[in-house]
Amino acid sequence: MCRNIHVLHNLEPGTTSDEVRAAALQYVRKVSGYAKPSQANQAAFDRAVAEIAHATEHLLADLVTSAPPKDREVLAAQARERAAVRYARG
């Protein structure tokens, strides 16, 4: 859907509520087509963000894995490398 949506499960340090809300906001923006909704749609937009964030928190709490947690710094370095290749001029 969008390459800016990041994995939130099995990270060290753990995922914060702010990260979950940011992901929910990004999802609602993408689905609705609004970066900033009109006043008439603001309540529905905010409610959708809250509901999706809530569902995401429950999902992350219920997921189990035997894999070791992923290191955020390693993932960030890999993303920077991919971006450097993607946006390299040459």
Side-chain angles (χ1 to χ4, degrees), residues 21-22 26 33 39-41 49 54-55 59 64 66-67 69 71 80 86:
R21 187 185 182 294
Q26 186 174 35
Q39 286 183 339
N41 292 321
V49 171
H54 182 75
L59 172 65
V64 294
S66 60
D71 186 311
R80 284 190 296 273
R86 184 181 308 123

Side-chain angles (χ1 to χ4, degrees), residues 16-88:
T16 66
S17 294
D18 289 340
E19 290 172 313
V20 170
R21 187 185 182 294
L25 177 61
Q26 186 174 35
Y27 175 80
V28 172
R29 284 178 173 168
K30 185 72 168 183
V31 170
S32 69
Y34 296 122
K36 182 166 181 6
S38 66
Q39 286 183 339
N41 292 321
Q42 187 69 51
F45 189 89
D46 292 343
R47 187 172 49 254
V49 171
E51 290 174 4
I52 291 168
H54 182 75
T56 301
E57 292 273 1
H58 284 285
L59 172 65
L60 293 173
D62 292 344
L63 292 175
V64 294
T65 183
S66 60
K70 298 173 192 133
D71 186 311
R72 287 177 181 268
E73 294 302 319
V74 170
L75 293 175
Q78 290 170 343
R80 284 190 296 273
E81 289 173 16
R82 286 191 305 272
V85 169
R86 184 181 308 123
Y87 298 113

